[in-house]
Structures are given as C-alpha cells and as structure tokens.
Amino acid sequence: MNLITYFFLGLIAAITGALPLGTTNVAVINTTIKENIQNALKIVYTAALAELILVIIAINFNMQIGNFVDMNIWLQYTIAILLLGVGIILLIGRKECVKDENEDCIIIKKRYNISKQMLGFILGLVNPTVLIYWILVISFLNKKMIYLNMSTEYILLVVFIIGVFIGKVITLYGYGKFSNVLKVKIKNITTRINRVIGVLLVCVSVFQFTKLLYY
C-alpha cells in the first residue's frame, strides 16, 4: 500500500507542477509545431530526468534551502528581477525565422547549435521555480502525508521518483500532442503562447516586488 501511495503522490505532484506553461512546455510545443512529436520527445525525456535531480535536491535540502531563501532578501529580489526580465523579453522580443502561410515560424535562424536532448536537460535543470515548487511540495508531504528524506526506505524513494518521472513525461507529451491541434486551429500560436507566458511572469514579478516592499 505504501508503494502505491508514494507512486501516486509523485505522479500527481509532477503533473500539477508541469501543467502551468513554462520554458520546457514552450520548447516542447514549439518543437512539435516546427518539427515533429518525435523530436519533441527528446526534450521531454531529458527534461524529466533533469527534474529528478531537482526532486532529489529538494528531498535532501528542502528545509535548508527554504530557510536560506527566507533569510536572504537579495535572493528574493534577484528572482523577481529575473522573472520580470524574462517576461518582458517574451512580450516584446522578436524571433529571426522563416514564416509559413499562417505567419508562424517554421525555421528559426539559430546562432548556435544545441541538441534536443541537451536543451531538454538544461531547461529541466536550470529552473529555480521548479526547485522552489518541489521544496514546497516535499515540505507539505512531510507535514501532512508521507515522510520523505534521504533516510526514507530506498524502495519508497525510488517509487516516488518513478512516479515523478512518469507524471512529467505524460504532461509534456500531452502538450506536444495538443500543439498539433493548435497548429491547425490557431494562427501564430507560438507568439501568442510566449505573450501569455510573458504577461504571467510580469504579474508574478510585480506581486513578488509588492510583497517584498510592503510586507
């Protein structure tokens, strides 16, 4: 019974965390639209593997990291500034690309080459928001449901991590499959998605600055 509980909690937590549009989701959508789902899966698998590293860090250091962020106001301002900067870039940034008849980029003029596997791993690993999410999730689970740290029984940790991996892959794959529908029905979907994400990031940044300045 414990095995099933740990598996489904990992699965549900990963799906919940991967549902909001983020950089990895956008990369999967863009790759599916401009190339195919097979190439998008290269990003999906390595991004899911990279997220497992963040989960292990969160399990091992969730209390120390949480306390460090709370005690260092400069780090909270840095995160807010980064969110604002990325949001503005997504809102006003232009892409160098060749467009199809629907005004959607089909070939991006790349300034450097990076494999899909490496892109997925980098996007999955270099993601402070996801790390903070897992720190909060692990803290909540430890207080309310199950006990998760590096002294937890090995098989339970493995089952939880497998659940996380499957949940992440399922969600990102769903974004890839859904993007094929969007490609047919909505013009210039990539730009629209980027603008939506940009607005969300700017809003989160403004909220963070307000909280830091007035609370």
Side-chain angles (χ1 to χ4, degrees):
M1 190 63 183
N2 269 346
L3 292 176
I4 296 174
T5 301
Y6 274 71
F7 173 80
F8 276 105
L9 285 175
L11 182 77
I12 293 167
I15 291 173
T16 304
L19 278 176
L21 278 171
T23 52
T24 307
N25 308 59
V26 172
V28 170
I29 291 170
N30 287 346
T31 301
T32 305
I33 289 174
K34 295 162 195 166
E35 299 176 31
N36 52 57
I37 189 66
Q38 286 72 29
N39 283 337
L41 283 173
K42 296 176 184 178
I43 297 174
V44 169
Y45 292 132
T46 52
L49 284 173
E51 186 154 331
L52 297 186
I53 297 175
L54 299 184
V55 172
I56 292 171
I57 292 172
I59 290 173
N60 206 17
F61 301 107
N62 69 89
M63 294 206 51
Q64 296 94 322
I65 294 173
N67 291 335
F68 179 77
V69 173
D70 289 338
M71 293 173 62
N72 290 273
I73 195 73
W74 64 269
L75 184 57
Q76 298 178 49
Y77 275 107
T78 300
I79 293 171
I81 292 169
L82 286 174
L83 290 173
L84 181 64
V86 173
I88 291 172
I89 289 171
L90 288 174
L91 278 172
I92 65 175
R94 291 184 177 180
K95 295 179 180 177
E96 297 180 50
C97 63
V98 177
K99 296 184 177 181
D100 62 13
E101 67 277 5
N102 293 324
E103 292 299 306
D104 213 1
C105 295
I106 54 175
I107 304 173
I108 293 179
K109 298 176 182 178
K110 297 181 179 178
R111 292 195 173 116
Y112 54 88
N113 291 318
I114 181 171
S115 69
K116 293 291 187 297
Q117 292 89 341
M118 182 59 68
L119 176 62
F121 189 80
I122 292 172
L123 291 176
L125 186 63
V126 186
N127 201 327
T129 305
V130 173
L131 177 58
I132 292 170
Y133 168 78
W134 280 111
I135 290 171
L136 295 174
V137 167
I138 300 302
S139 298
F140 174 80
L141 292 177
N142 280 336
K143 291 176 183 177
K144 303 291 184 180
M145 296 183 179
I146 59 177
Y147 192 61
L148 275 172
N149 64 23
M150 297 314 289
S151 64
T152 301
E153 191 177 342
Y154 178 73
I155 186 64
L156 295 177
L157 282 177
V158 170
V159 168
F160 180 81
I161 288 171
I162 290 173
V164 171
F165 179 81
I166 293 174
K168 183 75 172 181
V169 168
I170 287 173
T171 309
L172 291 179
Y173 179 76
Y175 267 103
K177 294 299 288 185
F178 185 55
S179 65
N180 281 325
V181 177
L182 293 177
K183 182 180 180 181
V184 174
K185 294 187 176 181
I186 303 177
K187 293 182 179 181
N188 209 15
I189 183 61
T190 305
T191 302
R192 294 187 184 196
I193 290 172
N194 285 344
R195 285 176 179 169
V196 169
I197 297 170
V199 170
L200 290 174
L201 289 177
V202 170
C203 290
V204 170
S205 177
V206 170
F207 174 78
Q208 181 69 11
F209 276 120
T210 303
K211 187 173 72 171
L212 289 169
L213 292 171
Y214 296 104
Y215 290 92

